[in-house]
Short mmCIF file of all heavy atoms in Angstrom, two decimals:
data_model
loop_
_atom_site.label_atom_id
_atom_site.label_comp_id
_atom_site.label_asym_id
_atom_site.label_seq_id
_atom_site.Cartn_x
_atom_site.Cartn_y
_atom_site.Cartn_z
N ASN Q 1 4.63 -8.27 -24.36
CA ASN Q 1 5.69 -7.76 -23.51
C ASN Q 1 5.43 -8.23 -22.08
O ASN Q 1 4.84 -7.52 -21.28
CB ASN Q 1 5.73 -6.23 -23.59
CG ASN Q 1 6.96 -5.65 -22.94
OD1 ASN Q 1 7.71 -6.34 -22.26
ND2 ASN Q 1 7.16 -4.37 -23.16
N PRO Q 2 5.89 -9.45 -21.75
CA PRO Q 2 5.57 -10.02 -20.43
C PRO Q 2 6.07 -9.19 -19.25
O PRO Q 2 5.37 -9.06 -18.25
CB PRO Q 2 6.26 -11.39 -20.45
CG PRO Q 2 6.58 -11.67 -21.86
CD PRO Q 2 6.65 -10.37 -22.57
N ILE Q 3 7.25 -8.62 -19.35
CA ILE Q 3 7.81 -7.86 -18.23
C ILE Q 3 7.00 -6.59 -17.98
O ILE Q 3 6.82 -6.18 -16.84
CB ILE Q 3 9.31 -7.55 -18.42
CG1 ILE Q 3 9.93 -6.97 -17.16
CG2 ILE Q 3 9.54 -6.63 -19.58
CD1 ILE Q 3 10.10 -7.93 -16.05
N ALA Q 4 6.47 -5.99 -19.03
CA ALA Q 4 5.64 -4.79 -18.86
C ALA Q 4 4.34 -5.14 -18.13
O ALA Q 4 3.91 -4.41 -17.23
CB ALA Q 4 5.34 -4.16 -20.21
N LEU Q 5 3.73 -6.26 -18.50
CA LEU Q 5 2.50 -6.68 -17.83
C LEU Q 5 2.79 -7.04 -16.37
O LEU Q 5 2.03 -6.67 -15.47
CB LEU Q 5 1.88 -7.87 -18.57
CG LEU Q 5 0.57 -8.41 -18.01
CD1 LEU Q 5 -0.49 -7.31 -17.92
CD2 LEU Q 5 0.07 -9.55 -18.86
N ALA Q 6 3.89 -7.73 -16.13
CA ALA Q 6 4.26 -8.09 -14.76
C ALA Q 6 4.55 -6.84 -13.93
O ALA Q 6 4.19 -6.77 -12.75
CB ALA Q 6 5.47 -9.03 -14.77
N THR Q 7 5.20 -5.86 -14.52
CA THR Q 7 5.49 -4.61 -13.81
C THR Q 7 4.20 -3.86 -13.49
O THR Q 7 4.07 -3.26 -12.42
CB THR Q 7 6.43 -3.72 -14.64
OG1 THR Q 7 7.60 -4.48 -14.95
CG2 THR Q 7 6.83 -2.48 -13.88
N LYS Q 8 3.23 -3.92 -14.39
CA LYS Q 8 1.94 -3.29 -14.11
C LYS Q 8 1.25 -3.98 -12.93
O LYS Q 8 0.71 -3.32 -12.05
CB LYS Q 8 1.03 -3.32 -15.33
CG LYS Q 8 -0.28 -2.60 -15.07
CD LYS Q 8 -1.26 -2.76 -16.18
CE LYS Q 8 -2.58 -2.08 -15.92
NZ LYS Q 8 -3.06 -2.03 -14.57
N ILE Q 9 1.33 -5.30 -12.89
CA ILE Q 9 0.76 -6.04 -11.76
C ILE Q 9 1.48 -5.65 -10.48
O ILE Q 9 0.85 -5.46 -9.44
CB ILE Q 9 0.85 -7.56 -12.02
CG1 ILE Q 9 -0.11 -7.95 -13.15
CG2 ILE Q 9 0.53 -8.35 -10.76
CD1 ILE Q 9 0.04 -9.38 -13.64
N LEU Q 10 2.81 -5.50 -10.54
CA LEU Q 10 3.57 -5.08 -9.37
C LEU Q 10 3.15 -3.69 -8.91
O LEU Q 10 2.94 -3.45 -7.72
CB LEU Q 10 5.07 -5.12 -9.66
CG LEU Q 10 5.98 -4.57 -8.56
CD1 LEU Q 10 5.85 -5.41 -7.29
CD2 LEU Q 10 7.41 -4.52 -9.03
N ASN Q 11 3.03 -2.75 -9.85
CA ASN Q 11 2.61 -1.39 -9.50
C ASN Q 11 1.22 -1.40 -8.86
O ASN Q 11 0.97 -0.66 -7.90
CB ASN Q 11 2.65 -0.48 -10.72
CG ASN Q 11 4.07 -0.14 -11.12
OD1 ASN Q 11 4.97 -0.10 -10.29
ND2 ASN Q 11 4.28 0.09 -12.40
N ASP Q 12 0.32 -2.22 -9.38
CA ASP Q 12 -1.02 -2.33 -8.79
C ASP Q 12 -0.94 -2.91 -7.37
O ASP Q 12 -1.66 -2.47 -6.47
CB ASP Q 12 -1.92 -3.21 -9.65
CG ASP Q 12 -2.27 -2.55 -10.98
OD1 ASP Q 12 -2.05 -1.33 -11.12
OD2 ASP Q 12 -2.74 -3.27 -11.89
N ALA Q 13 -0.04 -3.88 -7.16
CA ALA Q 13 0.14 -4.47 -5.82
C ALA Q 13 0.69 -3.44 -4.85
O ALA Q 13 0.31 -3.41 -3.68
CB ALA Q 13 1.06 -5.69 -5.89
N ILE Q 14 1.59 -2.57 -5.31
CA ILE Q 14 2.15 -1.52 -4.46
C ILE Q 14 1.04 -0.54 -4.05
O ILE Q 14 0.93 -0.16 -2.88
CB ILE Q 14 3.31 -0.80 -5.16
CG1 ILE Q 14 4.51 -1.74 -5.27
CG2 ILE Q 14 3.70 0.48 -4.44
CD1 ILE Q 14 5.63 -1.24 -6.17
N ILE Q 15 0.21 -0.17 -5.00
CA ILE Q 15 -0.91 0.74 -4.71
C ILE Q 15 -1.87 0.09 -3.72
O ILE Q 15 -2.31 0.72 -2.76
CB ILE Q 15 -1.63 1.16 -6.01
CG1 ILE Q 15 -0.72 2.06 -6.84
CG2 ILE Q 15 -2.96 1.85 -5.71
CD1 ILE Q 15 -1.21 2.31 -8.25
N ASP Q 16 -2.18 -1.19 -3.94
CA ASP Q 16 -3.06 -1.90 -3.01
C ASP Q 16 -2.44 -1.97 -1.62
O ASP Q 16 -3.14 -1.86 -0.61
CB ASP Q 16 -3.34 -3.32 -3.51
CG ASP Q 16 -4.25 -3.33 -4.72
OD1 ASP Q 16 -4.91 -2.30 -4.99
OD2 ASP Q 16 -4.31 -4.38 -5.40
N TYR Q 17 -1.13 -2.16 -1.55
CA TYR Q 17 -0.45 -2.23 -0.25
C TYR Q 17 -0.58 -0.89 0.47
O TYR Q 17 -0.87 -0.85 1.66
CB TYR Q 17 1.02 -2.60 -0.44
CG TYR Q 17 1.72 -2.87 0.85
CD1 TYR Q 17 1.65 -4.12 1.45
CD2 TYR Q 17 2.42 -1.87 1.51
CE1 TYR Q 17 2.27 -4.38 2.65
CE2 TYR Q 17 3.05 -2.11 2.72
CZ TYR Q 17 2.97 -3.38 3.28
OH TYR Q 17 3.59 -3.62 4.48
N TYR Q 18 -0.38 0.22 -0.28
CA TYR Q 18 -0.55 1.54 0.32
C TYR Q 18 -1.97 1.74 0.80
O TYR Q 18 -2.21 2.27 1.89
CB TYR Q 18 -0.19 2.64 -0.67
CG TYR Q 18 1.28 2.94 -0.77
CD1 TYR Q 18 1.89 3.08 -2.01
CD2 TYR Q 18 2.07 3.11 0.35
CE1 TYR Q 18 3.24 3.36 -2.12
CE2 TYR Q 18 3.41 3.40 0.26
CZ TYR Q 18 4.00 3.53 -0.98
OH TYR Q 18 5.33 3.81 -1.08
N ARG Q 19 -2.95 1.34 0.00
CA ARG Q 19 -4.35 1.51 0.39
C ARG Q 19 -4.67 0.73 1.65
O ARG Q 19 -5.35 1.25 2.55
CB ARG Q 19 -5.27 1.06 -0.75
CG ARG Q 19 -5.33 2.02 -1.89
CD ARG Q 19 -6.23 1.51 -2.98
NE ARG Q 19 -6.26 2.44 -4.08
CZ ARG Q 19 -6.54 2.10 -5.33
NH1 ARG Q 19 -6.84 0.86 -5.62
NH2 ARG Q 19 -6.52 3.01 -6.28
N SER Q 20 -4.21 -0.51 1.72
CA SER Q 20 -4.52 -1.31 2.91
C SER Q 20 -3.81 -0.76 4.14
O SER Q 20 -4.36 -0.79 5.24
CB SER Q 20 -4.16 -2.78 2.69
OG SER Q 20 -2.77 -2.93 2.55
N SER Q 21 -2.59 -0.24 3.96
CA SER Q 21 -1.88 0.32 5.11
C SER Q 21 -2.57 1.59 5.61
O SER Q 21 -2.59 1.86 6.81
CB SER Q 21 -0.42 0.60 4.79
OG SER Q 21 -0.28 1.59 3.82
N VAL Q 22 -3.18 2.36 4.71
CA VAL Q 22 -3.93 3.55 5.12
C VAL Q 22 -5.16 3.13 5.91
O VAL Q 22 -5.48 3.72 6.94
CB VAL Q 22 -4.31 4.41 3.89
CG1 VAL Q 22 -5.36 5.45 4.24
CG2 VAL Q 22 -3.08 5.07 3.32
N ARG Q 23 -5.84 2.07 5.44
CA ARG Q 23 -7.02 1.59 6.17
C ARG Q 23 -6.63 1.12 7.56
O ARG Q 23 -7.33 1.39 8.53
CB ARG Q 23 -7.69 0.44 5.41
CG ARG Q 23 -8.63 0.93 4.35
CD ARG Q 23 -9.41 -0.22 3.76
NE ARG Q 23 -9.24 -0.13 2.32
CZ ARG Q 23 -8.64 -1.01 1.55
NH1 ARG Q 23 -8.19 -2.12 2.06
NH2 ARG Q 23 -8.52 -0.82 0.27
N ILE Q 24 -5.52 0.42 7.67
CA ILE Q 24 -5.05 -0.06 8.97
C ILE Q 24 -4.67 1.11 9.86
O ILE Q 24 -5.00 1.13 11.05
CB ILE Q 24 -3.87 -1.04 8.79
CG1 ILE Q 24 -4.35 -2.33 8.14
CG2 ILE Q 24 -3.18 -1.32 10.11
CD1 ILE Q 24 -3.24 -3.24 7.68
N THR Q 25 -4.00 2.10 9.31
CA THR Q 25 -3.56 3.27 10.07
C THR Q 25 -4.74 4.04 10.64
O THR Q 25 -4.66 4.57 11.74
CB THR Q 25 -2.69 4.19 9.20
OG1 THR Q 25 -1.61 3.43 8.68
CG2 THR Q 25 -2.15 5.35 9.98
N LYS Q 26 -5.83 4.12 9.88
CA LYS Q 26 -7.00 4.84 10.38
C LYS Q 26 -7.57 4.20 11.64
O LYS Q 26 -8.20 4.86 12.44
CB LYS Q 26 -8.08 4.90 9.29
CG LYS Q 26 -7.77 5.88 8.20
CD LYS Q 26 -8.89 5.95 7.19
CE LYS Q 26 -8.56 6.95 6.10
NZ LYS Q 26 -9.59 7.00 5.07
N ASN Q 27 -7.35 2.90 11.79
CA ASN Q 27 -7.87 2.19 12.96
C ASN Q 27 -6.87 2.12 14.11
O ASN Q 27 -7.21 1.63 15.17
CB ASN Q 27 -8.29 0.77 12.57
CG ASN Q 27 -9.44 0.78 11.58
OD1 ASN Q 27 -10.27 1.68 11.61
ND2 ASN Q 27 -9.46 -0.18 10.69
N GLU Q 28 -5.66 2.59 13.89
CA GLU Q 28 -4.65 2.56 14.94
C GLU Q 28 -4.67 3.86 15.72
O GLU Q 28 -5.03 4.91 15.20
CB GLU Q 28 -3.26 2.36 14.34
CG GLU Q 28 -3.05 1.00 13.75
CD GLU Q 28 -1.65 0.85 13.16
OE1 GLU Q 28 -0.91 1.85 13.11
OE2 GLU Q 28 -1.33 -0.26 12.75
N HIS Q 29 -4.25 3.79 16.96
CA HIS Q 29 -4.12 4.97 17.78
C HIS Q 29 -2.63 5.27 17.91
O HIS Q 29 -1.86 4.43 18.38
CB HIS Q 29 -4.74 4.75 19.16
CG HIS Q 29 -6.21 4.46 19.07
ND1 HIS Q 29 -7.13 5.42 18.78
CD2 HIS Q 29 -6.90 3.30 19.19
CE1 HIS Q 29 -8.33 4.89 18.74
NE2 HIS Q 29 -8.22 3.59 18.98
N LEU Q 30 -2.26 6.44 17.47
CA LEU Q 30 -0.85 6.80 17.47
C LEU Q 30 -0.37 7.15 18.87
O LEU Q 30 -1.10 7.72 19.67
CB LEU Q 30 -0.61 7.98 16.53
CG LEU Q 30 -0.97 7.72 15.06
CD1 LEU Q 30 -0.77 8.99 14.26
CD2 LEU Q 30 -0.12 6.60 14.51
N VAL Q 31 0.86 6.81 19.13
CA VAL Q 31 1.49 7.11 20.41
C VAL Q 31 2.25 8.42 20.25
O VAL Q 31 2.86 8.67 19.22
CB VAL Q 31 2.46 5.97 20.81
CG1 VAL Q 31 3.13 6.27 22.12
CG2 VAL Q 31 1.72 4.65 20.87
N ALA Q 32 2.23 9.23 21.25
CA ALA Q 32 2.92 10.53 21.18
C ALA Q 32 4.42 10.31 21.36
O ALA Q 32 5.01 10.64 22.37
CB ALA Q 32 2.38 11.47 22.24
N GLU Q 33 5.04 9.75 20.32
CA GLU Q 33 6.48 9.52 20.37
C GLU Q 33 7.07 10.00 19.05
O GLU Q 33 6.65 9.57 17.97
CB GLU Q 33 6.77 8.03 20.56
CG GLU Q 33 8.23 7.71 20.64
CD GLU Q 33 8.45 6.22 20.84
OE1 GLU Q 33 7.74 5.63 21.67
OE2 GLU Q 33 9.31 5.67 20.16
N MET Q 34 8.01 10.89 19.13
CA MET Q 34 8.64 11.42 17.92
C MET Q 34 9.63 10.41 17.36
O MET Q 34 10.32 9.73 18.12
CB MET Q 34 9.40 12.72 18.26
CG MET Q 34 8.49 13.89 18.49
SD MET Q 34 7.60 14.38 17.01
CE MET Q 34 8.93 15.00 16.01
#
């Protein structure tokens, strides 16, 4: 089932993207702007 395997790779890439954005966010200083 090629589409299922490709979708799993996509879901893993989405999780990796979230993880890397969290790592980047921890190093950023937020501005007090709503």
Side-chain angles (χ1 to χ4, degrees):
N1 191 350
I3 189 71
L5 182 56
T7 305
K8 183 187 179 326
I9 291 171
L10 174 63
N11 287 331
D12 292 345
I14 290 169
I15 290 169
D16 289 344
Y17 188 84
Y18 278 134
R19 286 179 181 155
S20 66
S21 65
V22 166
R23 276 188 232 116
I24 291 169
T25 304
K26 285 182 180 178
N27 296 328
E28 291 180 354
H29 299 286
L30 299 176
V31 179
E33 181 179 315
M34 286 294 292

